[in-house]
Amino acid sequence: MKATTAILIATLYLLAFIISIHTQVSESLVYFLFAFSPVVLIWLAITVLKDKSEEYPEMDEEQEWGYFHK
């Protein structure tokens, strides 16, 4: 799964959580969404860190990480 898809899913989940709080939907639904939110955020972090879909150039021996303008 691409990182952008995971970010979109996690954002929609957290928006649904916030909207359910403000619209005073079922209290048990809000508690469930709150309890499950750490799982969503951990899944998001792991997915973003493992995403290999973007090709990054190899740095020269004299280059430092993040400084391509030397």
Side-chain angles (χ1 to χ4, degrees), residues 53-64:
S53 64
E54 193 70 33
E55 294 287 330
Y56 295 104
E58 291 292 325
M59 291 188 289
D60 295 333
E61 202 166 300
E62 296 176 5
Q63 285 182 322
E64 296 178 23

Side-chain angles (χ1 to χ4, degrees), residues 5-6 12 15 25 28 30-31 34 37-38 41 51-52 55-56 60 63 65-66:
T5 306
L12 291 175
L15 280 173
V25 185
S28 61
V30 172
Y31 287 143
F34 178 74
S37 62
L41 293 179
D51 186 28
K52 302 283 188 203
E55 294 287 330
Y56 295 104
D60 295 333
Q63 285 182 322
W65 183 82

Side-chain angles (χ1 to χ4, degrees), residues 11-59:
T11 302
L12 291 175
Y13 177 84
L14 294 175
L15 280 173
F17 173 64
I18 296 298
I19 289 170
S20 66
I21 289 173
H22 288 291
T23 57
Q24 296 177 351
V25 185
S26 169
E27 196 171 300
S28 61
L29 175 66
V30 172
Y31 287 143
F32 174 76
L33 292 174
F34 178 74
F36 197 66
S37 62
V39 174
V40 173
L41 293 179
I42 291 170
W43 166 77
L44 172 66
I46 291 171
T47 304
V48 168
L49 291 174
K50 287 187 172 185
D51 186 28
K52 302 283 188 203
S53 64
E54 193 70 33
E55 294 287 330
Y56 295 104
E58 291 292 325
M59 291 188 289

